[in-house]
Amino acid sequence: MFCASLLAVALAAPAAAEPVKLSLLHINDLDRIEESKARGGLARLMTLVNRERAAAEHSVFTHGGDSISPSLLSGFDKGAHIIDLFNEAELDLMVLGNHEFDFGAAVTRERIAEARFPVLGANAIDSTGTLIEGTLATWTREVGPYTVGFIGLTTPETPEISSAEGVTFKPLVETARGLSENLRSNGADLVVALAHTGIVEDLELVNGDSGIDILLSGHDHLEITYYNGQRAFVEAGSQGEKLMVVEVTMDTVESRGKQVFVWEPQFRIVSTAGVEPDAAMAAKVQTYLDQLSKELDVALGKSSTPLDSRRASVRGGETAIGNLIADAMRQGVNADVAITNGGGIRGDKTYDAGTSLTRRDIQSELPFGNRTVKLQVSGEQLLEALEHGVSRVEEGAGRFPSTSGLAMTWSRSAAPGERVKSVSVNGQPLEMTATYTVATNDFMAKGGDGYVIFTEAKTLVDAAAAKYMASMVMDFVAAAGEVAPKVEGRVAAVD
Ligand SMILES: [Zn+2]
């Protein structure tokens, strides 16, 4: 007995003096459960997480929010599948992102109840004046002799970009400061903010009086590692294509006769490219994909007019299907007009009048996973975008516009840049100095297909907040039950 207790003391004593390592395994913004181009997907990610967990002294697997929406699958189950899969992955901790509110706060609460991992939402206050049911403001983990406190924060922009009716969001820095103080007075050595916040908000948390040590963020889909000697800040891109590993070494050193806690981060960004998918997770993901496949064949509604998405049609002139897509986009973000590129419409086929449209039809027409963003432009910028749209029609360029809410005439024989002859917006002549809101896709908003003019526009709904174009069109057709899009002079060639 004597020997055993002596041994215990001998083992315990150096433990406190030895540095302890904690691996924070971070992802954010993942709504796609399957891989894409041999990267990402939960099965590959799982392999990496398991590998890191096995190698780490201590680890915490964190999710920076945005998962239950806007995937195609979430259109059927409001994101239940993703909670199930993260339960399976034994996620340690998640924070609410704006997309967690896309189906309304009641669904947010349902999903939280299904999660077997803690969900943080320190600044999200429900209509009852308390935290959203099931969420925590903070969470702590004992790591060897040290205590690590986590605070969960969500962007206060959420009510503008999602459907969080009744939920209010308290200021970030102030909330973080109060909770950091609480955590530290309750013994936390290190304070980590798990936040779904935009880059400007991230920098406020990192540079401001937030009291945090480490920020694990999301929302921007950026890959970031930052350390200024005092605070660290990371974001892991999106879709679990890479796992962000922050290895934190914690230690106690003597300074001026006092024992002082010190820590230091080391960053590793590990790609899922070339990683063997985890078999168990792959099987589970596949059952959901099979389910999705069945759901895709369900008819949404009928088109009583014929549709033509052949390549030369959508890149050469106004089409009924282009009008249908543009109408759904315009309505989806409540914009004055919509413009979308013919190159983004890919079905390359015709549909007879009376065809029942399935989700698969819409998905195959809009396969890129583009999202509908909302911009604010001047009349002059709108005209420039339309001139650009018809500038290379003779080459069959993908930029050819399908529109909603506007009607234009244009001349094929005029020189590029001088082809647009007239434009009216909702029946009124275009005013150069007026402001208009435009629904377009995130590809074009970033200057894709040469729409550089849109990069100069003010963004009202950005890609991080946006919904998928395909889902918007599906919802539009399903809500209508029957659609009858026609070529009606929206993009009318005069020669
Ligand atoms: Zn977000």
Side-chain angles (χ1 to χ4, degrees):
M1 284 307 286
F2 177 76
C3 283
S5 61
L6 192 67
L7 187 66
V9 169
L11 283 176
E18 288 293 314
V20 175
K21 281 186 180 174
L22 166 66
S23 290
L24 298 166
L25 312 177
H26 184 63
I27 55 152
N28 50 269
D29 298 85
L30 187 161
D31 70 304
R32 192 183 71 213
I33 62 173
E34 73 278 23
E35 62 180 42
S36 171
K37 296 174 189 153
R39 280 164 182 262
L42 282 170
R44 286 174 194 268
L45 180 67
M46 196 71 249
T47 301
L48 282 189
V49 169
N50 286 339
R51 193 182 290 167
E52 294 292 333
R53 274 176 166 161
E57 270 177 56
H58 303 275
S59 67
V60 178
F61 177 22
T62 59
H63 186 326
D66 272 6
S67 254
I68 77 169
S69 167
S71 63
L72 212 47
L73 253 176
S74 75
F76 305 109
D77 70 358
K78 298 188 166 69
H81 68 283
I82 204 97
I83 298 293
D84 179 40
L85 292 169
F86 277 119
N87 281 338
E88 187 78 8
E90 296 181 356
L91 182 70
D92 288 306
L93 194 61
M94 181 175 177
V95 67
L96 295 172
N98 52 291
H99 278 301
E100 269 64 69
F101 294 93
D102 283 353
F103 302 108
V107 172
T108 313
R109 286 188 287 268
E110 268 177 52
R111 295 291 87 81
I112 292 166
E114 290 157 8
R116 292 202 297 261
F117 44 86
V119 178
L120 299 180
N123 66 325
I125 306 302
D126 217 336
S127 50
T128 51
T130 55
L131 294 182
I132 294 172
E133 193 182 339
T135 62
L136 302 172
T138 62
W139 181 76
T140 54
R141 167 66 74 86
E142 303 303 321
V143 179
Y146 303 111
T147 302
V148 181
F150 292 80
I151 301 168
L153 299 166
T154 306
T155 174
E157 278 188 20
T158 298
E160 290 149 49
I161 58 180
S162 188
S163 307
E165 295 84 13
V167 183
T168 51
F169 292 82
K170 291 195 291 184
L172 297 166
V173 174
E174 206 179 298
T175 305
R177 182 169 60 238
L179 293 171
S180 297
E181 282 167 11
N182 279 353
L183 284 166
R184 287 189 206 276
S185 63
N186 285 308
D189 299 289
L190 187 78
V191 174
V192 179
L194 180 61
H196 190 84
T197 42
I199 181 79
V200 173
E201 296 165 329
D202 291 331
L203 293 174
E204 284 167 5
L205 285 164
V206 171
N207 297 322
D209 187 16
S210 63
I212 64 168
D213 297 308
I214 299 175
L215 171 63
L216 308 175
S217 188
H219 192 56
D220 310 285
H221 299 202
L222 297 172
E223 214 173 279
I224 299 169
T225 58
Y226 169 97
Y227 181 53
N228 65 4
Q230 291 180 320
R231 286 177 178 167
F233 156 38
V234 298
E235 186 168 331
S238 67
Q239 303 299 4
E241 292 194 351
K242 294 180 184 174
L243 179 66
M244 179 68 69
V245 182
V246 186
E247 201 174 77
V248 186
T249 304
M250 295 182 280
D251 203 355
T252 304
V253 295
E254 204 174 297
S255 171
R256 295 178 191 156
K258 276 188 181 170
Q259 295 291 103
V260 182
F261 171 77
V262 289
W263 68 277
E264 197 178 4
Q266 202 175 324
F267 307 106
R268 263 188 302 128
I269 308 170
V270 192
S271 175
T272 50
V275 171
E276 186 70 22
D278 176 79
M281 183 57 82
K284 188 123 196 189
V285 166
Q286 193 56 47
T287 52
Y288 280 116
L289 296 179
D290 292 346
Q291 195 179 315
L292 174 65
S293 184
K294 271 185 217 146
E295 301 276 12
L296 284 177
D297 290 324
V298 173
L300 295 164
K302 198 164 75 169
S303 178
S304 53
T305 51
L307 304 175
D308 178 0
S309 67
R310 287 173 299 174
R311 187 179 170 94
S313 304
V314 293
R315 293 166 180 240
E318 181 185 343
T319 56
I321 193 163
N323 289 351
L324 172 68
I325 292 166
D327 285 346
M329 293 169 75
R330 180 165 75 97
Q331 184 183 298
V333 294
N334 190 25
D336 297 325
V337 300
I339 304 178
T340 195
N341 56 331
I345 304 171
R346 309 296 286 202
D348 204 14
K349 63 189 275 199
T350 57
Y351 304 78
D352 294 335
T355 299
S356 282
L357 297 172
T358 63
R359 287 190 162 88
R360 194 181 299 284
D361 290 329
I362 309 297
Q363 181 62 17
S364 65
E365 293 295 347
L366 302 169
F368 295 127
N370 285 116
R371 302 180 188 215
T372 305
V373 300
K374 185 178 183 180
L375 308 176
Q376 185 180 310
V377 297
S378 67
E380 199 176 351
Q381 289 174 314
L382 186 54
L383 177 62
E384 192 175 329
L386 293 170
E387 280 285 8
H388 177 76
V390 293
S391 63
R392 280 173 57 183
V393 64
E394 46 281 275
E395 298 162 44
R399 63 183 61 176
F400 193 88
S402 288
T403 65
S404 176
L406 68 82
M408 64 185 270
T409 56
W410 63 286
S411 166
R412 278 175 204 280
S413 55
E418 295 168 13
R419 288 184 170 172
V420 177
K421 299 302 169 194
S422 70
V423 183
S424 65
V425 174
N426 295 316
Q428 301 299 314
L430 182 75
E431 285 181 50
M432 290 300 139
T433 54
T435 354
Y436 299 94
T437 55
V438 181
T440 189
N441 62 64
D442 57 338
F443 170 72
M444 290 166 67
K446 283 186 294 192
D449 267 349
Y451 280 90
V452 178
I453 190 70
F454 283 151
T455 63
E456 294 163 20
K458 184 179 173 191
T459 305
L460 301 177
V461 175
D462 68 6
K467 294 185 180 154
Y468 287 110
M469 277 169 82
S471 304
M472 270 184 188
V473 178
M474 290 174 196
D475 291 348
F476 185 85
V477 173
E482 184 170 334
V483 292
K486 288 182 281 293
V487 173
E488 55 191 18
R490 296 186 190 186
V491 189
V494 295
D495 53 8

